[in-house]
Amino acid sequence: MPDPYILILFVVGSLIALVAWLPLVFRRAPLSLPIVCVALGAGIFSLPQVTIDPTPQAYPDITERLTEFVVIIALMGAGLKIDRVFNLKRWGVTWRLLGITMMISIAAIAGLGYGLLGLGLAGAILLAGTLAPTDPVLASDIQVGAPQEGKEDEVRFGLTSEAGLNDGLAFPFVHLAIALALVAAGQKTDWFVEWFTVNVLWETGAGLVIGWAMGWLFGRLTFMEPSDTGLAATRDGFIVLAATFISYSVTEMLHAYGFLAVFVTALAFRHADRDHEFHVQMHDFIEQIERMAMMVVLVLFGGALVSGLLAPLRPIDVLAAVIIVLVVRPVAGLIGFIGWQAPMREKLIMAFFGIRGVGSFYYLAYGLNAAPFAGGDRLWALVGLICLMSILLHGITVTPVMRWFDRSQGRDPDADADTDQATNSGRGASA
């Protein structure tokens, strides 16, 4: 047998090669990179030589931090992609998805958790806060294109902006569940005023303000005049990584929502010099890191599946998972679009593709690490099943649906793919 270290290098190198190559293979196929990563993880951790326990319960703190890292990277990438200038009216589809669709989803999932599954009030609200947000990591196939590519139709813009901002609405409900769990455990008494003033008002408002300030600061430092003294002159993608880490850490140190701040930082950073080519370089850099980190999480998720993650499931849990994926989000989405002037195909696509994934893993790990919840293993099984269903269902359907949508809009998806490949080849040659 080869040295374990050498074997690990081989496996990691092979996975990296697949992550780089498979998107080209799957761009016309009804299959996605997340599906392959989960399958690879299941295969690797099924080997008798692999004795590591990849379940999130075995390493709760590592699970929280690893998924946290992936989400903040994805949020920065999503914010940099958006070409549309922030405007209350032009972002109308976003407010519908956040203010109506997500609120209905939270109420419906909490109702299912409490009434159908018997989770208790705290557990039901934690499940709702965990599963209501659209995941910014796994939704990349239905997000807008890279900066300045022009691939920003209403569907892609709506799902990208929703995934970037919905954390600001999900986190208060996660904190509400934590407060209720602490009350039930006798560790907290007066909680409502603290929850509303701190978790809702301060952490959301401060996250928005700090995010904007960080984006403005990095925009000034990067695109300052004269141009040869700004950070853009370095042509170094690590600038965007610095902006991500500093924005998140400063916001968290001030006890506000770092996820929200990172996305707003990206929007403000982009606004500093919207058409500068350095945005493309930063986006490409952060996207490569995101794909690598996503691969690690999904390989471990595949391993957790074959290691008993879903064992605590009951038949009623499977029924609830089907309802959440196939009924709650689509119906809530269509309700949110009542009165919105847009073709029905756009409403249906945005209502259907409420993808759940890495963000849900983070919220659940955060909640279970912060307070004692009854049935933690069952919650992990529920969330794991729903994320697996989302990865499979949305991963198989996203390519044919979006190709059909592009054709309905008068665009040739194959021409776009060929242009992307030529552009990427040109970037590689110039590098």
Side-chain angles (χ1 to χ4, degrees):
M1 287 291 293
D3 183 281
Y5 171 73
I6 300 301
L7 187 60
I8 291 173
L9 287 182
F10 174 78
V11 171
V12 172
S14 300
L15 291 175
I16 293 172
L18 287 173
V19 168
W21 173 63
L22 287 176
L24 296 176
V25 177
F26 295 150
R27 69 187 183 195
R28 294 182 176 91
L31 197 61
S32 69
L33 179 60
I35 294 176
V36 174
C37 290
V38 172
L40 284 171
I44 291 171
F45 284 92
S46 295
L47 298 174
Q49 295 88 347
V50 180
T51 58
I52 300 173
D53 182 0
T55 58
Q57 300 96 314
Y59 304 96
D61 293 330
I62 293 177
T63 299
E64 179 184 341
R65 292 309 181 190
L66 178 58
T67 52
E68 177 184 48
F69 173 80
V70 181
V71 172
I72 63 174
I73 294 297
L75 289 170
M76 176 59 71
L80 289 178
K81 291 177 184 178
I82 295 178
D83 291 332
R84 188 176 304 192
V85 176
F86 182 81
N87 177 282
L88 290 177
K89 184 176 181 180
R90 295 187 67 198
W91 283 52
V93 64
T94 310
W95 313 137
R96 287 177 173 271
L97 287 168
L98 296 177
I100 304 176
T101 297
M102 187 172 169
M103 292 298 101
I104 293 174
S105 298
I106 288 176
I109 296 172
L112 285 171
Y114 185 77
L116 183 64
L117 303 179
L119 293 177
L121 186 58
I125 293 175
L126 178 61
L127 185 69
T130 294
L131 293 174
T134 295
D135 187 55
V137 182
L138 301 186
S140 59
D141 287 337
I142 51 172
Q143 290 183 353
V144 299
Q148 305 170 28
E149 278 191 1
K151 296 180 184 178
E152 195 165 289
D153 52 69
E154 204 68 19
V155 169
R156 289 181 171 91
F157 168 76
L159 291 170
T160 305
S161 56
E162 178 202 7
L165 288 171
N166 58 21
D167 301 290
L169 287 179
F171 241 134
F173 289 94
V174 173
H175 279 291
L176 175 60
I178 291 170
L180 293 175
L182 292 174
V183 169
Q187 301 177 27
K188 195 183 219 29
T189 53
D190 298 329
W191 60 272
F192 180 79
V193 172
E194 178 184 350
W195 171 74
F196 185 73
T197 57
V198 177
N199 299 132
V200 177
L201 298 181
W202 165 256
E203 295 191 359
T204 301
L208 292 170
V209 173
I210 297 168
W212 177 86
M214 289 292 127
W216 177 86
L217 175 62
F218 270 91
R220 293 279 297 187
L221 292 174
T222 303
F223 305 112
M224 66 174 56
E225 297 293 341
S227 59
D228 58 352
T229 61
L231 293 175
T234 66
R235 293 294 189 264
D236 196 330
F238 279 104
I239 300 302
V240 70
L241 202 58
T244 304
F245 291 164
I246 292 175
S247 174
Y248 187 76
S249 59
V250 168
T251 307
E252 289 292 318
M253 285 188 285
L254 294 174
H255 303 288
Y257 290 136
F259 284 0
L260 185 59
V262 168
F263 184 72
V264 174
T265 294
L267 295 177
F269 199 173
R270 180 74 194 280
H271 184 71
D273 192 340
R274 186 163 297 279
D275 299 322
H276 200 289
E277 62 179 11
F278 189 46
H279 287 298
V280 178
Q281 294 172 277
M282 290 191 294
H283 167 266
D284 291 348
F285 178 82
I286 204 77
E287 187 178 54
Q288 290 171 348
I289 296 176
E290 177 189 344
R291 278 196 292 166
M292 281 296 306
M294 177 199 73
M295 175 201 74
V296 172
V297 171
L298 293 184
V299 166
L300 292 172
F301 176 54
L305 292 174
V306 298
S307 300
L309 180 67
L310 304 185
L313 285 174
R314 307 170 188 175
I316 195 68
D317 297 340
V318 178
L319 174 62
V322 172
I323 294 173
I324 289 171
V325 174
L326 297 181
V327 179
V328 171
R329 164 66 189 215
V331 172
L334 292 177
I335 293 174
F337 292 133
I338 292 176
W340 184 52
Q341 300 301 313
M344 179 55 70
R345 60 176 175 268
E346 295 186 7
K347 299 178 182 179
L348 288 172
I349 292 173
M350 283 189 281
F352 177 71
F353 283 106
I355 298 175
R356 275 58 178 141
V358 180
S360 295
F361 299 152
Y362 170 76
Y363 291 126
L364 184 56
Y366 180 90
L368 294 179
N369 288 344
F373 285 88
D377 288 347
R378 187 183 178 200
L379 285 171
W380 269 118
L382 267 166
V383 171
L385 176 61
I386 291 169
C387 290
L388 176 63
M389 291 174 60
S390 181
I391 289 170
L392 294 175
L393 176 64
H394 296 130
I396 290 171
T397 57
V398 64
T399 298
V401 167
M402 295 311 292
R403 285 170 64 84
W404 166 79
F405 173 69
D406 285 337
R407 290 193 182 98
S408 73
Q409 298 289 100
R411 295 190 297 265
D412 182 356
D414 295 324
D416 289 343
D418 293 338
T419 301
D420 291 342
Q421 187 175 12
T423 302
N424 291 332
S425 300
R427 290 175 190 163
S430 62

